[in-house]
Amino acid sequence: MIKKVLRGICEGKTLAEIAEEMDMEYSALIAMLEHMVKMGYLVRGKKENNEICSTCPLQKVCSERNYTVYFLTEKGKKLVGSC
Amino acid sequence: MIVALAGNPNTGKSTIFNALTGMKQHVGNWPGVTVEKKEGEMEINGTRVKVVDLPGTYSLTAYSLEEIITRNFIIEEKPDIIVDIIDASNLERNLYLLTELLELHSKIIVVLNMFDEAQKKYNIDVDLMSKILGLPVVPAVGIRGKGIDELKEKILRGKFNPKKVEYPEDVEKRIEKIEEKIKKLGLEPARWYAIKVIENDVEVVKKIKDKGARDILHLAEHLRHEIEDIYGDDIESVMTSFRYSFAHGLFHEVAEPINVGGVTITDMLDHVITHKIFGIPIFLAIMYLSFQFVFLVAAPFQDAIDLLFNGKDAAGGHIPGLVDLSYNWMLTFMPDWLSSFINHGMLRGLGAVLTFTPVIMLLFLILSFLEDSGYLARVAFLMDSVMKKMGLEGRGIIPLMLGFGCNVPAVMATRTLKDENERKLSIALNPLIPCGARIQVFAFLSSIFFPSNPALVLWSLLILSMVVVFFLGYIYSKTIFRGKSEPFVLELPPYRMPTMKGISIHMWEKSEGFLRKAGTIIVGAAAIIWIFAALPWGVEYGSPDSYIGMFAQWIAPIGTAFGLTPEAIISLIFGFFAKEVVIDVLYVLFGSKDAILASMTWAQAYSFMLFMLFYTPCVATLAAVYNETKSKKFTLFVILEGFFLAALFSFTFYTIFTLLGVGA
Ligand SMILES: Nc1nc2c(ncn2[C@@H]2O[C@H](COP(=O)(O)OP(=O)(O)O)[C@@H](O)[C@H]2O)c(=O)[nH]1
């Protein structure tokens, strides 16, 4: 199942599409992604803040965005083969 | 008797722990670490039971402290019973932990908590689940104390005949081989140790090494490679996948979704909102209506504030506003130039910002609503899929669109993109997306120059910037920044109805930030402009003989081709430091809304806005660009790109409309 999820990401599918395709619950898929992060197949893309940000009047807005980006690691890419 | 509570985070573990133990609790730390340990006591029919609350976890790997604590407690303290608290409304997710627990312990009671919520989603066959697992399964609603008595009953008298998580034959065979050896070593539960040592679990390997059983490690390594060869993947993914399949299968056996296909509101909305064809038109429509709403509602408030500060020219003469009154009052005790500086310079500028407050707040209100509801994240996603449809390789558009608020963090977010070219592509396009501050400035200018339909004007600028980003993105990705796209996936938050409180807080934070900045800068900007407009000593304020007037005459020819008036150019120069200042500058130069309106034809005004849409990003963004790329050349590229687009669009627009003769 792990490989299937990774392949889906490789093919540019959305999480909703992957969940649908695997007939999985969305929340279960997210938990699985987190598990895969721990195992080293994915990394979470963090939003980084630093000083320059504080010069922007909208810094508070951007520090609150509620999304997470997941990227494949080398280990993840190796598992799916071609990506 | 010891009972341990395990479960995912947020499944109602604490709620149930409290229901079981009441006041008899003791909170401490797990030995040697700062993870909270809660223990309590209860009595069931005279039997004293100690209850231990284990940390909330999704799995039992050796990768996190909480997970290690949990599994070590089960292995070492050997509780009599484990109660797995499951959030039944997210059943599949919760079942993975159960599969891991099944390998660790034989007496598990499954509590299907949040059963009230779960029943809205699916029918769960509790008896079937109990039969399949060979374990007691208790539906519960922790917050209402439902199921607690049954749970207590099962703790005393539950029957356990647990099913193993079975792996395929060729794996099972190998697990058994190791299991026998582990048994001889005296480690319990032997099957779990066997599975983990095959999986190369660091903690377990270490433990076996400490026991001096190198032969087991060698054998495990050998068997691991065999399994990896059979399945063609690394061991961890093979074994973990089997467990996920087990959980997945169990879920489908016992839970039947209530609405066909398990379509949630989020799914339904997503089908429409991120629709390949309708998604973009829907987005544009939402933006248009939002802008209309903002201007319509803000207008009366704006007029009132403007009246308060600047007064009004009525038939009977000028009705003085605060600025006039304060100017005259200050004349009584200070020289004319000082009073003029304070009032015509700073107070008027402050008024400008304040008149704009209603628009700022409403616009932020809408943006907060769109963001909190989960919509904006989808727009980012939508843009990405459009780019994909266009065959665009570089998919840096996501961090880019998320920079809708501010370009600076968006530029920094590109750090997550590993491919150099894709990253550059994203950074190069980034400043072309109007940030929140720029949208505010455009809203302001639209409302001044196009009072009859500011929303339409603002909307047209937004569309233009999107088109340019798509188009340029396409060109770049096929030419200078031909990158390899980094595969990624975005977790979109579920839609929810934003709370009034949440939105108000967001709106307030954003508006305050914006106003505070515009307010502080204005003092400096106003002072500088006022000085240049009032000097050399003795000239009429702002006349062609003043420094600013001379500069304007000098710069004027450059602007004519683009329809830029000298004042517009001056405001653009200041806008380089922060786009908000453009508003301030215009106000300080002209004094009133009407005067600003009178200073340009509508074609000039629109040209001016087009120029502003693209010309160089603000200092902070450029600093971020340089910081991220460490390339002066690239930073210069970003500036030139902006100026090129700005010149291109304003020139084309202005020329066409002047030729048509409709600009005046
Ligand atoms: N709808 C519903 N909510 C529950 C139930 N049990 C707990 N909750 C709520 O779920 C949230 C998390 O509960 P908590 O006990 O703190 O979870 P823990 O993190 O697992 O300890 C709280 O807001 C509880 O009020 C339940 O059976 N039904």
Side-chain angles (χ1 to χ4, degrees):
Chain A
M1 284 181 90
I2 288 180
K3 209 166 156 182
K4 229 173 172 175
V5 172
L6 288 174
R7 176 155 307 136
I9 298 174
C10 267
E11 287 164 1
K13 293 203 175 90
T14 68
L15 288 183
E17 282 167 353
I18 295 173
E20 194 173 343
E21 207 177 83
M22 299 180 64
D23 196 14
M24 239 183 132
E25 287 201 289
Y26 192 79
S27 65
L29 181 59
I30 300 300
M32 199 162 156
L33 292 182
E34 287 298 319
H35 193 169
M36 288 158 75
V37 169
K38 282 193 201 145
M39 295 196 292
Y41 296 115
L42 294 174
V43 290
R44 228 172 297 150
K46 280 194 291 287
K47 312 161 276 172
E48 317 218 15
N49 271 323
N50 71 20
E51 330 79 58
I52 323 176
C53 217
S54 63
T55 60
C56 179
L58 298 164
Q59 53 153 325
K60 280 186 182 134
V61 193
C62 34
S63 56
E64 278 164 11
R65 296 198 180 274
N66 41 2
Y67 66 97
T68 314
V69 193
Y70 295 94
F71 294 92
L72 266 75
T73 58
E74 288 310 314
K75 189 177 168 191
K77 283 184 202 159
K78 208 175 127 211
L79 187 66
V80 268
S82 64
C83 185
Chain B
M1 185 178 194
I2 300 178
V3 170
L5 301 188
N8 289 181
N10 264 318
T11 52
K13 237 153 45 69
S14 311
T15 311
I16 291 191
F17 179 77
N18 292 340
L20 288 174
T21 60
M23 301 305 277
K24 291 197 201 120
Q25 299 188 1
H26 165 79
V27 182
N29 277 347
W30 290 92
V33 291
T34 52
V35 178
E36 193 184 82
K37 180 183 192 183
K38 274 198 297 188
E39 287 180 329
E41 266 183 36
M42 64 174 169
E43 229 183 75
I44 316 173
N45 294 345
T47 308
R48 281 169 63 100
V49 180
K50 186 168 139 186
V51 186
V52 180
D53 190 18
L54 298 171
T57 65
Y58 291 108
S59 53
L60 294 177
T61 60
Y63 294 119
S64 82
L65 201 56
E66 279 84 1
E67 301 186 29
I68 293 174
I69 290 175
T70 303
R71 56 191 229 181
N72 282 351
F73 179 83
I74 297 173
I75 298 166
E76 283 153 23
E77 308 292 322
K78 302 198 170 32
D80 299 275
I81 288 177
I82 293 178
V83 176
D84 181 15
I85 315 273
I86 278 180
D87 168 4
S89 65
N90 286 300
L91 189 59
E92 184 173 3
R93 181 182 77 198
N94 284 255
L95 289 179
Y96 184 78
L97 180 67
L98 180 61
T99 64
E100 297 223 85
L101 289 172
L102 281 172
E103 285 171 350
L104 267 177
H105 205 280
S106 57
K107 288 187 171 179
I108 298 170
I109 299 175
V110 177
V111 172
L112 296 177
N113 195 34
M114 313 228 180
F115 208 69
D116 50 339
E117 292 294 320
Q119 278 173 317
K120 294 176 197 159
K121 268 173 90 179
Y122 19 63
N123 290 315
I124 302 178
D125 191 335
V126 178
D127 292 334
L128 180 65
M129 190 168 171
S130 174
K131 219 173 94 195
I132 295 176
L133 289 168
L135 298 171
V137 177
V138 180
V141 182
I143 34 169
R144 276 186 253 124
K146 271 196 194 165
I148 300 297
D149 287 338
E150 195 188 341
L151 172 60
K152 286 182 177 173
E153 209 265 330
K154 297 288 186 213
I155 290 175
L156 276 196
R157 277 185 278 279
K159 297 215 177 357
F160 304 91
N161 183 20
K163 180 190 162 92
K164 271 198 307 192
V165 178
E166 288 204 32
Y167 297 89
E169 189 50 41
D170 36 19
V171 178
E172 281 292 339
K173 242 174 31 203
R174 292 175 170 84
I175 294 175
E176 273 162 34
K177 269 191 202 165
I178 298 257
E179 199 179 340
E180 272 164 38
K181 287 188 178 275
I182 300 254
K183 269 187 189 144
K184 284 186 198 138
L185 211 59
L187 288 174
E188 274 293 328
R191 181 176 162 84
W192 181 79
Y193 272 106
I195 293 170
K196 289 296 159 188
V197 74
I198 290 181
E199 279 181 36
N200 209 7
D201 179 289
V202 284
E203 293 275 311
V204 167
V205 168
K206 190 166 161 283
K207 208 157 178 176
I208 292 177
K209 203 183 267 168
D210 289 348
K211 288 235 171 206
R214 299 230 163 231
D215 56 323
I216 295 188
L217 294 181
H218 287 309
L219 179 60
E221 193 179 327
H222 174 68
L223 297 176
R224 183 184 313 137
H225 289 318
E226 284 183 355
I227 297 175
E228 287 183 336
D229 284 344
I230 296 172
Y231 291 91
D233 291 331
D234 65 68
I235 191 76
E236 231 185 331
S237 78
V238 173
M239 300 297 278
T240 311
S241 293
F242 286 138
R243 284 192 289 271
Y244 272 113
S245 303
F246 178 86
H248 184 69
L250 179 61
F251 168 70
H252 281 287
E253 258 181 283
V254 300
E256 181 197 351
I258 284 175
N259 36 11
V260 226
V263 180
T264 63
I265 294 181
T266 291
D267 288 341
M268 255 155 47
L269 277 174
D270 271 349
H271 271 292
V272 181
I273 279 173
T274 59
H275 191 274
K276 292 172 182 72
I277 299 164
F278 303 122
I280 296 265
I282 288 174
F283 168 65
L284 293 178
I286 288 177
M287 290 321 277
Y288 183 69
L289 292 175
S290 304
F291 292 160
Q292 283 288 11
F293 169 83
V294 167
F295 287 116
L296 212 69
V297 177
F301 294 101
Q302 283 187 286
D303 289 345
I305 298 171
D306 188 45
L307 184 67
L308 182 70
F309 273 88
N310 297 318
K312 197 178 175 177
D313 290 318
H318 184 73
I319 303 169
L322 268 183
V323 174
D324 307 308
L325 295 175
S326 161
Y327 169 74
N328 288 331
W329 171 68
M330 285 189 190
L331 275 186
T332 58
F333 57 87
M334 58 172 67
D336 184 35
W337 66 268
L338 189 57
S339 178
S340 169
F341 172 63
I342 294 175
N343 294 296
H344 295 149
M346 306 215 271
L347 188 60
R348 193 173 266 163
L350 188 70
V353 175
L354 283 180
T355 17
F356 197 49
T357 315
V359 174
I360 291 175
M361 298 195 50
L362 284 165
L363 208 48
F364 278 138
L365 177 84
I366 296 265
L367 287 177
S368 300
F369 183 86
L370 293 179
E371 189 177 334
D372 287 6
S373 63
Y375 181 65
L376 275 191
R378 261 116 190 136
V379 174
F381 172 76
L382 184 65
M383 300 293 167
D384 177 60
S385 51
V386 171
M387 300 219 85
K388 229 163 60 185
K389 294 274 135 48
M390 291 167 60
L392 191 70
E393 269 303 317
R395 300 221 278 137
I397 190 86
I398 294 255
L400 199 152
M401 272 309 294
L402 292 164
F404 210 33
C406 174
N407 296 139
V408 174
V411 167
M412 290 194 283
T414 60
R415 229 174 262 180
T416 51
L417 303 172
K418 294 215 184 48
D419 186 88
E420 191 55 31
N421 269 338
E422 191 185 6
R423 216 168 144 228
K424 283 195 170 152
L425 170 76
S426 184
I427 296 179
L429 295 182
N430 202 305
L432 305 178
I433 305 250
C435 67
R438 256 183 294 170
I439 292 183
Q440 293 289 11
V441 176
F442 290 129
F444 173 87
L445 294 175
S446 312
S447 72
I448 289 186
F449 289 117
F450 304 92
S452 55
N453 201 346
L456 187 66
V457 172
L458 185 53
W459 193 59
S460 70
L461 293 172
L462 188 74
I463 294 183
L464 179 66
S465 71
M466 276 171 53
V467 171
V468 168
V469 166
F470 282 145
F471 184 73
L472 217 56
Y474 186 74
I475 305 262
Y476 282 167
S477 74
K478 297 282 176 225
T479 54
I480 42 176
F481 300 130
R482 204 176 313 145
K484 199 174 145 319
S485 90
E486 193 66 37
F488 74 96
V489 77
L490 189 73
E491 187 210 335
L492 298 171
Y495 291 104
R496 45 186 181 173
M497 198 58 201
T499 59
M500 216 35 227
K501 189 166 158 242
I503 296 191
S504 332
I505 291 176
H506 270 174
M507 175 182 87
W508 177 247
E509 280 182 343
K510 292 176 208 181
S511 305
E512 196 221 47
F514 185 90
L515 288 171
R516 187 188 293 262
K517 189 172 175 204
T520 0
I521 289 179
I522 194 169
V523 179
I528 295 170
I529 290 168
W530 185 87
I531 289 167
F532 281 118
L535 291 179
W537 198 256
V539 299
E540 197 192 328
Y541 180 80
S543 71
D545 297 329
S546 67
Y547 284 136
I548 224 160
M550 290 190 262
F551 179 72
Q553 281 166 345
W554 175 74
I555 198 95
I558 299 176
T560 38
F562 310 107
L564 296 176
T565 63
E567 292 85 358
I569 295 179
I570 292 169
S571 71
L572 287 172
I573 292 173
F574 277 88
F576 173 59
F577 298 99
K579 306 284 162 144
E580 304 87 306
V581 183
V582 170
I583 306 173
D584 298 343
V585 172
L586 286 179
Y587 251 87
V588 175
L589 284 175
F590 288 107
S592 75
K593 210 164 111 175
D594 295 335
I596 300 177
L597 176 59
S599 75
M600 295 182 207
T601 65
W602 70 259
Q604 280 176 320
Y606 197 77
S607 263
F608 172 48
M609 288 163 81
L610 283 175
F611 200 90
M612 228 191 106
L613 186 60
F614 295 116
Y615 90 116
T616 176
C618 69
V619 181
T621 308
L622 282 177
V625 170
Y626 179 72
N627 236 8
E628 291 303 313
T629 57
K630 292 278 177 275
S631 159
K632 290 199 184 90
K633 230 171 82 187
F634 187 77
T635 311
L636 189 66
F637 170 80
V638 170
I639 298 176
L640 291 180
E641 165 199 71
F643 271 107
F644 173 76
L645 288 169
L648 177 73
F649 281 102
S650 59
F651 176 79
T652 312
F653 174 86
Y654 190 65
T655 311
I656 290 177
F657 277 80
T658 338
L659 286 180
L660 290 177
V662 287

